[in-house]
Amino acid sequence: MAAGRPRSFCKNQALDRALEVFWRQGFEGASICHLTEAMGINPPSLYAAFGNKEQLFRQALDRYAEVYAERRTALLAAPTGREAIEALLRDAARSLTDKSSPTGCLYVQAIAGGGEHGACIREMLKTKREDSERELRERLERAKAEGELPDDADPAALARFITTVAQGMSVQASGGATRKELERVVDFALGAWPS
Amino acid sequence: MAAGRPRSFCKNQALDRALEVFWRQGFEGASICHLTEAMGINPPSLYAAFGNKEQLFRQALDRYAEVYAERRTALLAAPTGREAIEALLRDAARSLTDKSSPTGCLYVQAIAGGGEHGACIREMLKTKREDSERELRERLERAKAEGELPDDADPAALARFITTVAQGMSVQASGGATRKELERVVDFALGAWPS
DNA sequence: CATAATATGTAGTGAACGCTAAATAAGTGC
DNA sequence: GCACTTATTTAGCGTTCACTACATATTATG
């Protein structure tokens, strides 16, 4: 059997470009025209390689998730639970306001996107956020098992609180907050650590 | 001079209907067709009464702001600063998950909406959020003046922290969190109160 | 009643949307 | 070289978008 004409672009690189457009414009705001232009390809190539707009978004989201899951895992590996959480939030304060990528977190940014496509996409985003929160909770459960947290501490609730603060920080970043301002928020959040 | 044919619908009621559509679908996701259907009028009536889609959104936003500014002011009138903040956050936990209106806060929801219309709208949303945060800060400054907060307390930073938590709660609500779960978040947030 | 002024319903504008058919180009295996 | 497979280019599909011209209906004023 024959192999056919080889693809003239790098799929992962194109996916990264698409991710940035989705991140900056949102799902509905990112038109196929914007996407193909940023990706440097024509519509038929996009559809041949990625399916359709929604599937492209899902793949971009998966790629985004990979990168951040890895980073999260690394940060949570800090020796104590409290250090782990602080590392996570400090990193968020920095990366959410980093101007080399769109401000705010893609997950948080994409929740609003509403519309009818929203249902399926929202479900996927929810799963990603739950993955993140679960990893936090497991780290906190370990901290509790190691005696770092009091017996009546509730790792699940604490994980949710931290997640909530991080999501709020993303909104703040989208609204123009600076890194310094987010660092102050982190200070307060850590003040809620049970003892 | 003559007065012309009177309007056959209530402008404020139509605005409320439009608000709900924007709230549920986002700015870009809410089509003129959706809006006119919900408002019970035809496109020419919409344009005659409200200008265009963007101006309609601004007016709907103003109306939303009025309602919530009033509520916020009432809640912040609690005798102590801490009670005021707790009242605000408990109310948020309830109203963000209230199923009689779309989940989450319209301001937070609308930030993502990206695109090109975004610039002007984002500016307006930012102003609204700043109004809210300023009112919180002023209440906390009063608390400090009354000796409820330590001398080294920073009302502006505390106001930002509380705002951040509230915005995070909105994201949580959009993602499906229940009122109970948000109440637990409030518990933690209040744990960060300076003493 | 006639006129002026404003609102409404009908119908449709050009533009942008997501997406694709058809022809062509670029590879592999025989 | 020839058949086969796959990617790319060109061009345009049908639909929906925000928005509006136009004729009609409904009011106040003279």
PDB file of all heavy atoms in Angstrom, chain B residues 39-73:
ATOM      1  N   MET B  39     -37.229  38.865  24.647  1.00  0.00           N
ATOM      2  CA  MET B  39     -37.771  40.179  25.002  1.00  0.00           C
ATOM      3  C   MET B  39     -39.194  40.361  24.476  1.00  0.00           C
ATOM      4  O   MET B  39     -39.892  41.302  24.864  1.00  0.00           O
ATOM      5  CB  MET B  39     -36.866  41.287  24.443  1.00  0.00           C
ATOM      6  CG  MET B  39     -35.454  41.285  25.025  1.00  0.00           C
ATOM      7  SD  MET B  39     -34.272  42.248  24.031  1.00  0.00           S
ATOM      8  CE  MET B  39     -34.502  43.889  24.730  1.00  0.00           C
ATOM      9  N   GLY B  40     -39.595  39.484  23.571  1.00  0.00           N
ATOM     10  CA  GLY B  40     -40.939  39.569  23.023  1.00  0.00           C
ATOM     11  C   GLY B  40     -41.125  40.719  22.051  1.00  0.00           C
ATOM     12  O   GLY B  40     -42.232  41.237  21.898  1.00  0.00           O
ATOM     13  N   ILE B  41     -40.051  41.119  21.381  1.00  0.00           N
ATOM     14  CA  ILE B  41     -40.138  42.213  20.407  1.00  0.00           C
ATOM     15  C   ILE B  41     -39.395  41.849  19.132  1.00  0.00           C
ATOM     16  O   ILE B  41     -38.702  40.837  19.080  1.00  0.00           O
ATOM     17  CB  ILE B  41     -39.541  43.521  20.972  1.00  0.00           C
ATOM     18  CG1 ILE B  41     -38.056  43.328  21.305  1.00  0.00           C
ATOM     19  CG2 ILE B  41     -40.312  43.962  22.212  1.00  0.00           C
ATOM     20  CD1 ILE B  41     -37.378  44.586  21.815  1.00  0.00           C
ATOM     21  N   ASN B  42     -39.530  42.681  18.104  1.00  0.00           N
ATOM     22  CA  ASN B  42     -38.821  42.455  16.850  1.00  0.00           C
ATOM     23  C   ASN B  42     -37.544  43.294  16.801  1.00  0.00           C
ATOM     24  O   ASN B  42     -37.434  44.300  17.515  1.00  0.00           O
ATOM     25  CB  ASN B  42     -39.731  42.812  15.674  1.00  0.00           C
ATOM     26  CG  ASN B  42     -40.862  41.809  15.525  1.00  0.00           C
ATOM     27  OD1 ASN B  42     -40.657  40.611  15.663  1.00  0.00           O
ATOM     28  ND2 ASN B  42     -42.063  42.308  15.301  1.00  0.00           N
ATOM     29  N   PRO B  43     -36.605  42.874  15.961  1.00  0.00           N
ATOM     30  CA  PRO B  43     -35.323  43.584  15.902  1.00  0.00           C
ATOM     31  C   PRO B  43     -35.446  45.107  15.785  1.00  0.00           C
ATOM     32  O   PRO B  43     -34.767  45.819  16.516  1.00  0.00           O
ATOM     33  CB  PRO B  43     -34.648  42.971  14.677  1.00  0.00           C
ATOM     34  CG  PRO B  43     -35.176  41.588  14.634  1.00  0.00           C
ATOM     35  CD  PRO B  43     -36.598  41.671  15.101  1.00  0.00           C
ATOM     36  N   PRO B  44     -36.289  45.639  14.893  1.00  0.00           N
ATOM     37  CA  PRO B  44     -36.336  47.101  14.770  1.00  0.00           C
ATOM     38  C   PRO B  44     -36.708  47.780  16.088  1.00  0.00           C
ATOM     39  O   PRO B  44     -36.201  48.868  16.389  1.00  0.00           O
ATOM     40  CB  PRO B  44     -37.410  47.335  13.709  1.00  0.00           C
ATOM     41  CG  PRO B  44     -37.414  46.106  12.896  1.00  0.00           C
ATOM     42  CD  PRO B  44     -37.142  44.989  13.864  1.00  0.00           C
ATOM     43  N   SER B  45     -37.573  47.147  16.865  1.00  0.00           N
ATOM     44  CA  SER B  45     -37.949  47.722  18.155  1.00  0.00           C
ATOM     45  C   SER B  45     -36.760  47.734  19.099  1.00  0.00           C
ATOM     46  O   SER B  45     -36.537  48.699  19.843  1.00  0.00           O
ATOM     47  CB  SER B  45     -39.093  46.935  18.782  1.00  0.00           C
ATOM     48  OG  SER B  45     -40.241  47.008  17.959  1.00  0.00           O
ATOM     49  N   LEU B  46     -35.991  46.646  19.046  1.00  0.00           N
ATOM     50  CA  LEU B  46     -34.797  46.561  19.894  1.00  0.00           C
ATOM     51  C   LEU B  46     -33.831  47.694  19.556  1.00  0.00           C
ATOM     52  O   LEU B  46     -33.336  48.392  20.443  1.00  0.00           O
ATOM     53  CB  LEU B  46     -34.132  45.192  19.702  1.00  0.00           C
ATOM     54  CG  LEU B  46     -32.956  44.840  20.621  1.00  0.00           C
ATOM     55  CD1 LEU B  46     -32.813  43.325  20.720  1.00  0.00           C
ATOM     56  CD2 LEU B  46     -31.643  45.426  20.130  1.00  0.00           C
ATOM     57  N   TYR B  47     -33.577  47.845  18.273  1.00  0.00           N
ATOM     58  CA  TYR B  47     -32.595  48.852  17.857  1.00  0.00           C
ATOM     59  C   TYR B  47     -33.095  50.268  18.117  1.00  0.00           C
ATOM     60  O   TYR B  47     -32.315  51.161  18.455  1.00  0.00           O
ATOM     61  CB  TYR B  47     -32.211  48.647  16.393  1.00  0.00           C
ATOM     62  CG  TYR B  47     -31.285  47.467  16.222  1.00  0.00           C
ATOM     63  CD1 TYR B  47     -31.776  46.198  15.972  1.00  0.00           C
ATOM     64  CD2 TYR B  47     -29.918  47.631  16.373  1.00  0.00           C
ATOM     65  CE1 TYR B  47     -30.924  45.111  15.853  1.00  0.00           C
ATOM     66  CE2 TYR B  47     -29.062  46.549  16.261  1.00  0.00           C
ATOM     67  CZ  TYR B  47     -29.575  45.292  15.999  1.00  0.00           C
ATOM     68  OH  TYR B  47     -28.729  44.219  15.901  1.00  0.00           O
ATOM     69  N   ALA B  48     -34.406  50.469  17.963  1.00  0.00           N
ATOM     70  CA  ALA B  48     -34.967  51.797  18.224  1.00  0.00           C
ATOM     71  C   ALA B  48     -34.855  52.142  19.707  1.00  0.00           C
ATOM     72  O   ALA B  48     -34.563  53.277  20.077  1.00  0.00           O
ATOM     73  CB  ALA B  48     -36.420  51.847  17.769  1.00  0.00           C
ATOM     74  N   ALA B  49     -35.060  51.136  20.555  1.00  0.00           N
ATOM     75  CA  ALA B  49     -35.115  51.416  21.994  1.00  0.00           C
ATOM     76  C   ALA B  49     -33.744  51.394  22.661  1.00  0.00           C
ATOM     77  O   ALA B  49     -33.509  52.119  23.637  1.00  0.00           O
ATOM     78  CB  ALA B  49     -36.037  50.407  22.673  1.00  0.00           C
ATOM     79  N   PHE B  50     -32.825  50.557  22.149  1.00  0.00           N
ATOM     80  CA  PHE B  50     -31.566  50.347  22.878  1.00  0.00           C
ATOM     81  C   PHE B  50     -30.300  50.665  22.081  1.00  0.00           C
ATOM     82  O   PHE B  50     -29.208  50.588  22.626  1.00  0.00           O
ATOM     83  CB  PHE B  50     -31.499  48.909  23.391  1.00  0.00           C
ATOM     84  CG  PHE B  50     -32.631  48.535  24.313  1.00  0.00           C
ATOM     85  CD1 PHE B  50     -33.690  47.767  23.856  1.00  0.00           C
ATOM     86  CD2 PHE B  50     -32.649  48.975  25.636  1.00  0.00           C
ATOM     87  CE1 PHE B  50     -34.747  47.417  24.705  1.00  0.00           C
ATOM     88  CE2 PHE B  50     -33.694  48.632  26.486  1.00  0.00           C
ATOM     89  CZ  PHE B  50     -34.747  47.854  26.027  1.00  0.00           C
ATOM     90  N   GLY B  51     -30.431  50.993  20.801  1.00  0.00           N
ATOM     91  CA  GLY B  51     -29.248  51.343  20.014  1.00  0.00           C
ATOM     92  C   GLY B  51     -28.734  50.179  19.206  1.00  0.00           C
ATOM     93  O   GLY B  51     -29.111  49.995  18.060  1.00  0.00           O
ATOM     94  N   ASN B  52     -27.850  49.395  19.813  1.00  0.00           N
ATOM     95  CA  ASN B  52     -27.373  48.179  19.163  1.00  0.00           C
ATOM     96  C   ASN B  52     -27.060  47.137  20.233  1.00  0.00           C
ATOM     97  O   ASN B  52     -27.324  47.355  21.423  1.00  0.00           O
ATOM     98  CB  ASN B  52     -26.164  48.454  18.269  1.00  0.00           C
ATOM     99  CG  ASN B  52     -24.997  49.026  19.055  1.00  0.00           C
ATOM    100  OD1 ASN B  52     -24.890  48.825  20.260  1.00  0.00           O
ATOM    101  ND2 ASN B  52     -24.139  49.758  18.388  1.00  0.00           N
ATOM    102  N   LYS B  53     -26.488  46.020  19.814  1.00  0.00           N
ATOM    103  CA  LYS B  53     -26.279  44.921  20.749  1.00  0.00           C
ATOM    104  C   LYS B  53     -25.369  45.327  21.909  1.00  0.00           C
ATOM    105  O   LYS B  53     -25.653  45.017  23.066  1.00  0.00           O
ATOM    106  CB  LYS B  53     -25.676  43.728  19.999  1.00  0.00           C
ATOM    107  CG  LYS B  53     -25.605  42.461  20.834  1.00  0.00           C
ATOM    108  CD  LYS B  53     -24.947  41.332  20.046  1.00  0.00           C
ATOM    109  CE  LYS B  53     -24.747  40.115  20.932  1.00  0.00           C
ATOM    110  NZ  LYS B  53     -24.019  39.035  20.230  1.00  0.00           N
ATOM    111  N   GLU B  54     -24.296  46.018  21.587  1.00  0.00           N
ATOM    112  CA  GLU B  54     -23.347  46.405  22.626  1.00  0.00           C
ATOM    113  C   GLU B  54     -23.973  47.379  23.625  1.00  0.00           C
ATOM    114  O   GLU B  54     -23.804  47.241  24.838  1.00  0.00           O
ATOM    115  CB  GLU B  54     -22.102  47.021  21.989  1.00  0.00           C
ATOM    116  CG  GLU B  54     -21.035  47.357  23.006  1.00  0.00           C
ATOM    117  CD  GLU B  54     -19.711  47.735  22.348  1.00  0.00           C
ATOM    118  OE1 GLU B  54     -19.410  47.196  21.267  1.00  0.00           O
ATOM    119  OE2 GLU B  54     -19.003  48.589  22.907  1.00  0.00           O
ATOM    120  N   GLN B  55     -24.713  48.341  23.103  1.00  0.00           N
ATOM    121  CA  GLN B  55     -25.356  49.307  23.993  1.00  0.00           C
ATOM    122  C   GLN B  55     -26.432  48.648  24.839  1.00  0.00           C
ATOM    123  O   GLN B  55     -26.656  49.015  25.995  1.00  0.00           O
ATOM    124  CB  GLN B  55     -25.937  50.469  23.177  1.00  0.00           C
ATOM    125  CG  GLN B  55     -24.866  51.402  22.626  1.00  0.00           C
ATOM    126  CD  GLN B  55     -25.413  52.381  21.588  1.00  0.00           C
ATOM    127  OE1 GLN B  55     -26.599  52.704  21.589  1.00  0.00           O
ATOM    128  NE2 GLN B  55     -24.554  52.833  20.683  1.00  0.00           N
ATOM    129  N   LEU B  56     -27.108  47.672  24.242  1.00  0.00           N
ATOM    130  CA  LEU B  56     -28.095  46.914  25.009  1.00  0.00           C
ATOM    131  C   LEU B  56     -27.419  46.198  26.164  1.00  0.00           C
ATOM    132  O   LEU B  56     -27.909  46.204  27.300  1.00  0.00           O
ATOM    133  CB  LEU B  56     -28.801  45.902  24.100  1.00  0.00           C
ATOM    134  CG  LEU B  56     -29.724  44.895  24.790  1.00  0.00           C
ATOM    135  CD1 LEU B  56     -30.904  45.601  25.449  1.00  0.00           C
ATOM    136  CD2 LEU B  56     -30.238  43.850  23.787  1.00  0.00           C
ATOM    137  N   PHE B  57     -26.286  45.612  25.878  1.00  0.00           N
ATOM    138  CA  PHE B  57     -25.545  44.890  26.917  1.00  0.00           C
ATOM    139  C   PHE B  57     -25.117  45.838  28.037  1.00  0.00           C
ATOM    140  O   PHE B  57     -25.252  45.516  29.221  1.00  0.00           O
ATOM    141  CB  PHE B  57     -24.319  44.215  26.303  1.00  0.00           C
ATOM    142  CG  PHE B  57     -23.522  43.394  27.275  1.00  0.00           C
ATOM    143  CD1 PHE B  57     -24.031  42.210  27.779  1.00  0.00           C
ATOM    144  CD2 PHE B  57     -22.267  43.809  27.677  1.00  0.00           C
ATOM    145  CE1 PHE B  57     -23.300  41.453  28.677  1.00  0.00           C
ATOM    146  CE2 PHE B  57     -21.523  43.050  28.581  1.00  0.00           C
ATOM    147  CZ  PHE B  57     -22.048  41.875  29.079  1.00  0.00           C
ATOM    148  N   ARG B  58     -24.655  47.017  27.668  1.00  0.00           N
ATOM    149  CA  ARG B  58     -24.226  47.988  28.666  1.00  0.00           C
ATOM    150  C   ARG B  58     -25.383  48.400  29.562  1.00  0.00           C
ATOM    151  O   ARG B  58     -25.234  48.536  30.777  1.00  0.00           O
ATOM    152  CB  ARG B  58     -23.644  49.227  27.988  1.00  0.00           C
ATOM    153  CG  ARG B  58     -22.360  48.941  27.233  1.00  0.00           C
ATOM    154  CD  ARG B  58     -22.018  50.101  26.312  1.00  0.00           C
ATOM    155  NE  ARG B  58     -21.530  51.250  27.049  1.00  0.00           N
ATOM    156  CZ  ARG B  58     -20.254  51.526  27.219  1.00  0.00           C
ATOM    157  NH1 ARG B  58     -19.349  50.729  26.692  1.00  0.00           N
ATOM    158  NH2 ARG B  58     -19.875  52.578  27.906  1.00  0.00           N
ATOM    159  N   GLN B  59     -26.539  48.575  28.946  1.00  0.00           N
ATOM    160  CA  GLN B  59     -27.706  48.977  29.734  1.00  0.00           C
ATOM    161  C   GLN B  59     -28.176  47.852  30.643  1.00  0.00           C
ATOM    162  O   GLN B  59     -28.579  48.073  31.784  1.00  0.00           O
ATOM    163  CB  GLN B  59     -28.840  49.449  28.801  1.00  0.00           C
ATOM    164  CG  GLN B  59     -28.523  50.767  28.118  1.00  0.00           C
ATOM    165  CD  GLN B  59     -29.528  51.142  27.039  1.00  0.00           C
ATOM    166  OE1 GLN B  59     -30.688  51.412  27.297  1.00  0.00           O
ATOM    167  NE2 GLN B  59     -29.086  51.145  25.785  1.00  0.00           N
ATOM    168  N   ALA B  60     -28.093  46.630  30.123  1.00  0.00           N
ATOM    169  CA  ALA B  60     -28.465  45.476  30.947  1.00  0.00           C
ATOM    170  C   ALA B  60     -27.490  45.353  32.121  1.00  0.00           C
ATOM    171  O   ALA B  60     -27.882  45.087  33.260  1.00  0.00           O
ATOM    172  CB  ALA B  60     -28.435  44.200  30.105  1.00  0.00           C
ATOM    173  N   LEU B  61     -26.230  45.604  31.838  1.00  0.00           N
ATOM    174  CA  LEU B  61     -25.197  45.539  32.858  1.00  0.00           C
ATOM    175  C   LEU B  61     -25.434  46.600  33.934  1.00  0.00           C
ATOM    176  O   LEU B  61     -25.272  46.332  35.135  1.00  0.00           O
ATOM    177  CB  LEU B  61     -23.840  45.759  32.194  1.00  0.00           C
ATOM    178  CG  LEU B  61     -22.651  45.021  32.778  1.00  0.00           C
ATOM    179  CD1 LEU B  61     -22.915  43.541  32.786  1.00  0.00           C
ATOM    180  CD2 LEU B  61     -21.402  45.322  31.982  1.00  0.00           C
ATOM    181  N   ASP B  62     -25.807  47.777  33.506  1.00  0.00           N
ATOM    182  CA  ASP B  62     -26.089  48.849  34.462  1.00  0.00           C
ATOM    183  C   ASP B  62     -27.236  48.463  35.380  1.00  0.00           C
ATOM    184  O   ASP B  62     -27.219  48.742  36.571  1.00  0.00           O
ATOM    185  CB  ASP B  62     -26.431  50.144  33.710  1.00  0.00           C
ATOM    186  CG  ASP B  62     -25.177  50.910  33.298  1.00  0.00           C
ATOM    187  OD1 ASP B  62     -24.150  50.753  33.984  1.00  0.00           O
ATOM    188  OD2 ASP B  62     -25.229  51.643  32.304  1.00  0.00           O
ATOM    189  N   ARG B  63     -28.224  47.825  34.799  1.00  0.00           N
ATOM    190  CA  ARG B  63     -29.383  47.424  35.580  1.00  0.00           C
ATOM    191  C   ARG B  63     -28.981  46.357  36.600  1.00  0.00           C
ATOM    192  O   ARG B  63     -29.388  46.396  37.764  1.00  0.00           O
ATOM    193  CB  ARG B  63     -30.453  46.875  34.644  1.00  0.00           C
ATOM    194  CG  ARG B  63     -31.805  46.803  35.288  1.00  0.00           C
ATOM    195  CD  ARG B  63     -32.908  46.683  34.245  1.00  0.00           C
ATOM    196  NE  ARG B  63     -34.148  46.263  34.897  1.00  0.00           N
ATOM    197  CZ  ARG B  63     -34.870  47.063  35.637  1.00  0.00           C
ATOM    198  NH1 ARG B  63     -34.493  48.323  35.835  1.00  0.00           N
ATOM    199  NH2 ARG B  63     -35.972  46.623  36.216  1.00  0.00           N
ATOM    200  N   TYR B  64     -28.180  45.400  36.149  1.00  0.00           N
ATOM    201  CA  TYR B  64     -27.671  44.351  37.035  1.00  0.00           C
ATOM    202  C   TYR B  64     -26.873  44.985  38.173  1.00  0.00           C
ATOM    203  O   TYR B  64     -27.017  44.609  39.338  1.00  0.00           O
ATOM    204  CB  TYR B  64     -26.778  43.421  36.215  1.00  0.00           C
ATOM    205  CG  TYR B  64     -26.114  42.294  36.968  1.00  0.00           C
ATOM    206  CD1 TYR B  64     -26.794  41.114  37.227  1.00  0.00           C
ATOM    207  CD2 TYR B  64     -24.793  42.389  37.384  1.00  0.00           C
ATOM    208  CE1 TYR B  64     -26.178  40.064  37.883  1.00  0.00           C
ATOM    209  CE2 TYR B  64     -24.169  41.352  38.045  1.00  0.00           C
ATOM    210  CZ  TYR B  64     -24.863  40.185  38.294  1.00  0.00           C
ATOM    211  OH  TYR B  64     -24.249  39.156  38.941  1.00  0.00           O
ATOM    212  N   ALA B  65     -26.046  45.949  37.818  1.00  0.00           N
ATOM    213  CA  ALA B  65     -25.188  46.615  38.806  1.00  0.00           C
ATOM    214  C   ALA B  65     -26.020  47.320  39.857  1.00  0.00           C
ATOM    215  O   ALA B  65     -25.718  47.255  41.055  1.00  0.00           O
ATOM    216  CB  ALA B  65     -24.261  47.602  38.111  1.00  0.00           C
ATOM    217  N   GLU B  66     -27.067  47.972  39.429  1.00  0.00           N
ATOM    218  CA  GLU B  66     -27.951  48.695  40.362  1.00  0.00           C
ATOM    219  C   GLU B  66     -28.453  47.768  41.459  1.00  0.00           C
ATOM    220  O   GLU B  66     -28.326  48.041  42.647  1.00  0.00           O
ATOM    221  CB  GLU B  66     -29.175  49.236  39.611  1.00  0.00           C
ATOM    222  CG  GLU B  66     -29.103  50.695  39.235  1.00  0.00           C
ATOM    223  CD  GLU B  66     -30.366  51.096  38.497  1.00  0.00           C
ATOM    224  OE1 GLU B  66     -31.485  50.823  39.001  1.00  0.00           O
ATOM    225  OE2 GLU B  66     -30.251  51.678  37.385  1.00  0.00           O
ATOM    226  N   VAL B  67     -29.030  46.650  41.028  1.00  0.00           N
ATOM    227  CA  VAL B  67     -29.610  45.690  41.962  1.00  0.00           C
ATOM    228  C   VAL B  67     -28.574  45.201  42.963  1.00  0.00           C
ATOM    229  O   VAL B  67     -28.795  45.199  44.173  1.00  0.00           O
ATOM    230  CB  VAL B  67     -30.204  44.480  41.195  1.00  0.00           C
ATOM    231  CG1 VAL B  67     -30.665  43.401  42.159  1.00  0.00           C
ATOM    232  CG2 VAL B  67     -31.341  44.943  40.306  1.00  0.00           C
ATOM    233  N   TYR B  68     -27.398  44.819  42.440  1.00  0.00           N
ATOM    234  CA  TYR B  68     -26.414  44.211  43.322  1.00  0.00           C
ATOM    235  C   TYR B  68     -25.667  45.222  44.178  1.00  0.00           C
ATOM    236  O   TYR B  68     -25.242  44.895  45.284  1.00  0.00           O
ATOM    237  CB  TYR B  68     -25.473  43.304  42.525  1.00  0.00           C
ATOM    238  CG  TYR B  68     -26.166  42.012  42.232  1.00  0.00           C
ATOM    239  CD1 TYR B  68     -27.006  41.874  41.123  1.00  0.00           C
ATOM    240  CD2 TYR B  68     -26.088  40.950  43.130  1.00  0.00           C
ATOM    241  CE1 TYR B  68     -27.699  40.705  40.891  1.00  0.00           C
ATOM    242  CE2 TYR B  68     -26.771  39.778  42.908  1.00  0.00           C
ATOM    243  CZ  TYR B  68     -27.582  39.651  41.784  1.00  0.00           C
ATOM    244  OH  TYR B  68     -28.282  38.506  41.567  1.00  0.00           O
ATOM    245  N   ALA B  69     -25.552  46.440  43.680  1.00  0.00           N
ATOM    246  CA  ALA B  69     -24.913  47.482  44.495  1.00  0.00           C
ATOM    247  C   ALA B  69     -25.783  47.768  45.715  1.00  0.00           C
ATOM    248  O   ALA B  69     -25.288  47.914  46.838  1.00  0.00           O
ATOM    249  CB  ALA B  69     -24.711  48.747  43.669  1.00  0.00           C
ATOM    250  N   GLU B  70     -27.080  47.784  45.479  1.00  0.00           N
ATOM    251  CA  GLU B  70     -28.017  48.035  46.574  1.00  0.00           C
ATOM    252  C   GLU B  70     -27.905  46.931  47.628  1.00  0.00           C
ATOM    253  O   GLU B  70     -27.807  47.182  48.830  1.00  0.00           O
ATOM    254  CB  GLU B  70     -29.436  48.066  46.001  1.00  0.00           C
ATOM    255  CG  GLU B  70     -30.391  48.983  46.720  1.00  0.00           C
ATOM    256  CD  GLU B  70     -31.656  49.153  45.873  1.00  0.00           C
ATOM    257  OE1 GLU B  70     -31.557  49.620  44.721  1.00  0.00           O
ATOM    258  OE2 GLU B  70     -32.737  48.799  46.385  1.00  0.00           O
ATOM    259  N   ARG B  71     -27.914  45.697  47.163  1.00  0.00           N
ATOM    260  CA  ARG B  71     -27.821  44.553  48.060  1.00  0.00           C
ATOM    261  C   ARG B  71     -26.492  44.569  48.816  1.00  0.00           C
ATOM    262  O   ARG B  71     -26.454  44.323  50.023  1.00  0.00           O
ATOM    263  CB  ARG B  71     -27.913  43.282  47.215  1.00  0.00           C
ATOM    264  CG  ARG B  71     -27.923  42.043  48.040  1.00  0.00           C
ATOM    265  CD  ARG B  71     -28.934  41.065  47.488  1.00  0.00           C
ATOM    266  NE  ARG B  71     -28.369  39.766  47.219  1.00  0.00           N
ATOM    267  CZ  ARG B  71     -28.855  38.919  46.312  1.00  0.00           C
ATOM    268  NH1 ARG B  71     -29.863  39.283  45.568  1.00  0.00           N
ATOM    269  NH2 ARG B  71     -28.333  37.744  46.147  1.00  0.00           N
ATOM    270  N   ARG B  72     -25.429  44.860  48.104  1.00  0.00           N
ATOM    271  CA  ARG B  72     -24.108  44.892  48.712  1.00  0.00           C
ATOM    272  C   ARG B  72     -24.064  45.928  49.834  1.00  0.00           C
ATOM    273  O   ARG B  72     -23.575  45.658  50.926  1.00  0.00           O
ATOM    274  CB  ARG B  72     -23.068  45.230  47.628  1.00  0.00           C
ATOM    275  CG  ARG B  72     -21.650  45.085  48.062  1.00  0.00           C
ATOM    276  CD  ARG B  72     -20.721  45.227  46.857  1.00  0.00           C
ATOM    277  NE  ARG B  72     -20.864  46.499  46.168  1.00  0.00           N
ATOM    278  CZ  ARG B  72     -21.114  46.658  44.866  1.00  0.00           C
ATOM    279  NH1 ARG B  72     -21.268  45.614  44.106  1.00  0.00           N
ATOM    280  NH2 ARG B  72     -21.202  47.845  44.337  1.00  0.00           N
ATOM    281  N   THR B  73     -24.584  47.098  49.541  1.00  0.00           N
ATOM    282  CA  THR B  73     -24.588  48.168  50.529  1.00  0.00           C
ATOM    283  C   THR B  73     -25.363  47.757  51.773  1.00  0.00           C
ATOM    284  O   THR B  73     -24.929  47.993  52.909  1.00  0.00           O
ATOM    285  CB  THR B  73     -25.209  49.438  49.911  1.00  0.00           C
ATOM    286  OG1 THR B  73     -24.476  49.784  48.733  1.00  0.00           O
ATOM    287  CG2 THR B  73     -25.145  50.596  50.901  1.00  0.00           C
TER     288      THR B  73
END
